[in-house]
């Protein structure tokens, strides 16, 4: 038995028998033995670090040795040497003086005194590397510090450091937030405002928070933003509620290389003056109260590639004449987004903006969100994605769709009046050419409209379709069984489909049943996301959905006429819990019992769960009685 084990055994036996004095003696011996072994292990590890040339780790272990065995003079000398190598001369001097104090008559006293003298000499001629190094090297070092708010402490080290850091462009180039936001980084706006004029010529990306145009004007008057490329203005309001006036436009004239301008403020913008003030803009984003002067003072042409316009519903509406005046001057436009919508935009665009790749035209007042699939896409000319609310006909898009059918990727249409007034010919352009790269299609319309009758032909023109979103309207009524079967049988032919979302599409006929059965029985099913809301499902369809083993995200929203019983929901919950890849589950208006909740809570794959209106269970189980079942799943 080892010494440690013997001492531990003796200590326990003495303590158990009540021999406390003996227990104290044995425990003290045990602690001393542990100390000796710890010091021995630290010495071995310090030697290993020394061979690996890991000076910091060696220093840490040597300091621990001093902590546990403070009388070793050689350890103090080694620590002093390590401090000296790291440039910490004062720490080295302190450690050597401690070595003399420990053993003043030691034969190494003369050597230690010499080392102290050398360390003091090094301390006297210490070099400030940042101020003495070539500017290129110092700039490279400063550029690695990080974003501008992390450089506050280095600025205060010395005057030399401050001068070098203020000359280095890297910390100041991107994402400087100023005015009201500056106190997040600097404590008081005054400190930041005093510093900013000294570095403004480095800034490329700037966010300005200002509540008054006068403050904004003074700010740009004292700074030189000659390299500024991106400017974002937030929260500003104009006091007279009529127009912003001269301050903004005067400031913009001082920004010769400005490319991106984003204004999110309760102001009225005079478009002519704005574009005339910064002729190099390639991206313009306006989320403002109102826009005036659409046809006054506009430059003859602009290099704009992105235009996103959003005004308040109380503002004067953007008219077709307004947009025509602007689009005529933007031949390189790639992205156009209007919010609220302009119903006549298709007739305005016509053959203008030949490089247009994204057209998003949707309202603010319906609470309508852009589908997650509709995002900015690759920079190449030609129509690639369209989101259009209140569209009456696709005929105005005919030429663009035919010309760019090979690159068209995403299409989302909300039909005017549900499409009840449209004819089949209005939607022929959507299928006149095969679109081999179309990956997303979304349609919201009356189920009896012409576009749903034309949908099977459209789907056959999109062989690469991956996501399909179909939504009926509140006034849709019942979809004819023949139409529903044709649609779902055509969807069944889409071999690349991974996302299917149906909203207010009644599950009539056998087409949807055949579709779900195929995904359920596939050896390698492709469907990853399925959403069924207000689809009037029967129990057989509900249970079949829960057997698609490839599902990662499932959304089910019941309605009052589904006729689903409590036992059906329990069985549905049991099947869901067995899906091996299901990570996201959304259940709406589903009456969960304790048993159903237990099944769902027992899922091993779920990572996110959303439950809406599930507390009204028929056996009166309250939320508090089941919430613990979902403790491991974010809700």
């Amino acid at each position: 038995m080892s010494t440690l084990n013997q001492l531990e055994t003796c200590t326990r036996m003495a303590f158990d028998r009540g021999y406390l004095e003996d227990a104290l003696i044995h425990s003290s011996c045990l602690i001393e033995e542990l100390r000796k072994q710890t010091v021995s292990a630290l010495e071995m590890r310090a030697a290993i670090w020394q061979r690996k040339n890991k000076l910091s780790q060696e220093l840490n272990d040597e300091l621990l040795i001093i902590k546990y065995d403070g009388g070793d003079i050689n350890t103090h000398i080694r620590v002093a040497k390590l401090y000296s190598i790291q440039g910490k001369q004062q720490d080295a001097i302190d450690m050597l003086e401690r070595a003399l104090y420990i053993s003043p008559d030691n034969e190494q006293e003369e050597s230690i005194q010499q080392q102290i003298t050398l360390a003091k000499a090094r301390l006297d001629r210490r070099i400030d590397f940042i101020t003495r190094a070539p500017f290129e090297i110092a700039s490279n070092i400063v550029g690695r510090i990080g974003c501008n708010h992390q450089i506050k402490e280095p600025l205060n080290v010395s005057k030399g450091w401050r001068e070098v850091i203020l000359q280095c462009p890297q910390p100041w180039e991107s994402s400087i937030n100023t005015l009201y936001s500056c106190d997040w980084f600097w404590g008081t706006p005054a400190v930041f405002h005093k510093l900013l004029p000294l570095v403004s010529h480095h800034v490329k990306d700037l966010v300005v928070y200002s509540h008054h145009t006068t403050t904004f004007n003074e700010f740009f008057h004292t700074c030189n933003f000659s390299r500024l490329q991106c400017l974002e203005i937030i929260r500003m309001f104009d006091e007279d509620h009529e127009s912003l006036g001269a301050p903004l436009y005067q400031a913009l004239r001082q920004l010769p290389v400005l490319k991106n301008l984003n204004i999110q403020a309760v102001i009225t913008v005079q478009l002519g003056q704005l574009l005339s003030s910064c002729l190099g803009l390639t991206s313009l984003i306006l989320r403002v109260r109102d826009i005036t002067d659409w046809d006054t003072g506009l430059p003859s042409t602009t290099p704009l590639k992105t235009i996103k316009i959003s005004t308040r519903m109380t503002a004067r509406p953007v008219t077709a004449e307004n947009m025509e005046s602007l689009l005529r001057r933007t031949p390189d436009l790639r992205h156009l987004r209007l919010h609220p919508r302009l119903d006549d935009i298709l007739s305005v665009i016509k053959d203008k903006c030949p490089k247009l790749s994204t057209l998003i035209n949707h309202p603010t007042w319906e609470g309508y969100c852009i589908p997650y699939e509709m995002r900015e896409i690759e920079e190449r000319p030609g129509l690639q994605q369209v989101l259009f609310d209140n569209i009456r006909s696709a005929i105005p898009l005919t030429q663009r769709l035919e010309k760019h059918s090979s690159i068209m990727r995403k299409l989302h249409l909300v039909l005017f009046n549900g499409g009840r007034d449209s004819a089949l010919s209005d939607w022929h352009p959507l299928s006149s050419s095969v679109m081999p790269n179309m990956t997303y299609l979304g349609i919201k319309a009356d189920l009896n409209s012409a576009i749903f009758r034309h949908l099977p032909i459209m789907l056959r023109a999109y062989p690469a379709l991956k996501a399909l979103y179909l939504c009926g309207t509140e006034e849709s009524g019942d979809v004819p069984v023949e139409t529903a079967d044709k649609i779902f049988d055509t969807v069944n032919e889409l071999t690349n489909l991974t996302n299917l979302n149906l909203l207010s599409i009644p599950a009539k006929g056998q087409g949807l049943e055949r579709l779900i059965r195929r995904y359920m029985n596939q050896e390698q099913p492709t469907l990853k996301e399925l959403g069924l809301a207000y689809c009037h499902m029967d129990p057989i369809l509900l249970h079949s959905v829960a057997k698609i083993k490839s599902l990662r995200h499932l959304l089910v929203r019941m309605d009052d006429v589904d006729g689903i019983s409590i036992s059906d929901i329990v069985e549905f919950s049991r099947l869901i819990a067995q899906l091996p890849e299901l990570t996201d589950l959304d259940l709406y208006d589903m009456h969960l019992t304790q048993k159903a909740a237990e099944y769902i809570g027992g899922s091993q794959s779920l990572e996110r769960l959303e439950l809406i209106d599930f507390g009204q269970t028929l056996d009166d189980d309250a939320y508090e009685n089941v919430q613990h079942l979902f403790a491991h799943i974010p809700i």
Side-chain angles (χ1 to χ4, degrees), residues 336-365:
L336 176 61
R337 178 170 173 175
L338 301 179
H339 191 170
R341 67 186 179 227
L342 173 60
D343 294 342
D344 296 332
I345 187 63
L346 292 180
S347 61
V348 172
I349 293 178
K350 294 182 180 177
D351 57 351
K352 302 180 186 67
C353 311
K355 299 178 181 179
L356 187 68
S357 61
T358 299
L359 173 59
I360 298 177
N361 185 49
H362 66 98
T364 57
W365 51 274

Side-chain angles (χ1 to χ4, degrees), residues 21-298:
E21 292 297 328
D22 290 345
L24 283 173
I25 294 172
H26 290 314
S27 62
S28 298
C29 293
L30 176 61
I31 292 172
E32 178 62 20
E33 185 63 26
L34 282 170
R35 185 191 69 79
K36 290 179 180 178
Q37 293 196 21
T38 300
V39 170
S40 177
L42 286 170
E43 288 174 345
M44 291 177 62
R45 193 169 71 172
I48 295 171
W49 290 131
Q50 184 180 27
R51 289 197 177 187
K52 292 174 68 68
N53 200 29
K54 301 289 186 179
L55 300 185
S56 296
Q57 291 89 334
E58 182 186 358
L59 176 60
N60 291 336
D61 282 355
E62 295 288 4
L63 289 173
L64 286 174
I65 292 171
I66 290 176
K67 179 179 178 180
Y68 296 126
D69 188 21
D72 189 339
I73 190 171
N74 292 322
T75 304
H76 285 75
I77 294 174
R78 286 197 299 272
V79 169
K81 181 180 179 181
L82 290 170
Y83 274 138
S84 182
I85 293 172
Q86 291 184 347
K88 301 177 181 179
Q89 305 304 329
Q90 187 58 56
D91 291 335
I93 293 169
D94 293 342
M95 191 59 61
L96 290 170
E97 289 178 345
R98 284 180 59 182
L100 287 175
Y101 177 79
I102 292 171
S103 182
D105 299 327
N106 191 283
E107 59 184 12
Q108 301 185 62
E109 178 181 359
E110 183 178 350
S111 174
I112 294 174
Q113 289 289 3
Q114 291 177 355
Q115 292 182 49
I116 291 175
T117 302
L118 287 173
K120 288 182 177 180
R122 293 191 193 102
L123 192 63
D124 292 337
R125 64 172 186 269
R126 184 172 55 185
I127 297 175
D128 186 343
F129 184 77
I130 292 294
T131 57
R132 298 288 295 275
F135 178 75
E136 291 77 10
I137 297 176
S139 180
N140 188 292
I141 295 171
V142 172
R144 299 173 186 271
I145 293 177
C147 53
N148 54 76
H149 66 274
Q150 293 177 325
I151 209 165
K152 179 181 178 181
E153 291 184 4
L155 274 172
N156 296 326
V157 170
S158 67
K159 289 183 178 180
W161 277 43
R162 183 182 180 87
E163 291 177 0
V164 172
I165 292 173
L166 291 180
Q167 293 178 50
C168 296
Q170 293 93 331
W172 314 106
E173 286 182 345
S174 62
S175 193
I176 284 191
N177 295 265
T178 186
L179 293 181
Y180 284 97
S181 66
C182 66
D183 46 344
W184 302 345
F185 300 156
W186 299 89
T188 61
V191 174
F192 186 76
H193 290 168
K194 185 177 180 180
L195 176 68
L196 192 55
L198 303 176
V199 298
S200 58
H201 60 287
H202 296 311
V203 178
K204 292 183 178 180
D205 189 350
L206 178 67
V207 181
V208 177
Y209 292 74
S210 176
H211 287 184
H212 301 285
T213 57
T214 52
T215 306
F216 181 85
N217 193 28
E218 292 172 0
F219 170 68
F220 273 86
H221 182 70
T222 58
C223 297
N224 171 27
F225 293 107
S226 57
R227 299 179 64 197
L228 189 65
Q229 297 180 9
C230 301
L231 173 61
E232 186 172 351
I233 302 170
I234 299 177
R235 294 182 181 173
M236 183 183 291
F237 64 84
D238 44 352
E239 298 170 358
D240 58 4
H241 296 278
E242 288 297 330
S243 65
L244 179 59
L248 173 62
Y249 312 120
Q250 291 176 357
L252 293 176
R253 292 189 186 98
Q254 302 172 28
L255 310 176
V257 296
L258 186 67
K259 300 295 182 183
N260 304 317
L261 178 60
N262 183 348
I263 303 178
Q264 304 178 43
V266 188
I267 61 175
T268 298
V269 171
Q270 296 168 289
L271 189 62
Q273 285 201 48
L274 187 145
L275 291 178
S276 298
S277 301
C278 38
L279 297 174
L281 275 186
T282 59
S283 175
L284 176 62
I285 300 175
L286 298 177
R287 296 181 178 91
V288 295
R289 176 196 289 121
D290 197 4
I291 301 174
T292 63
D293 295 343
W294 288 83
D295 53 358
T296 304
L298 285 173

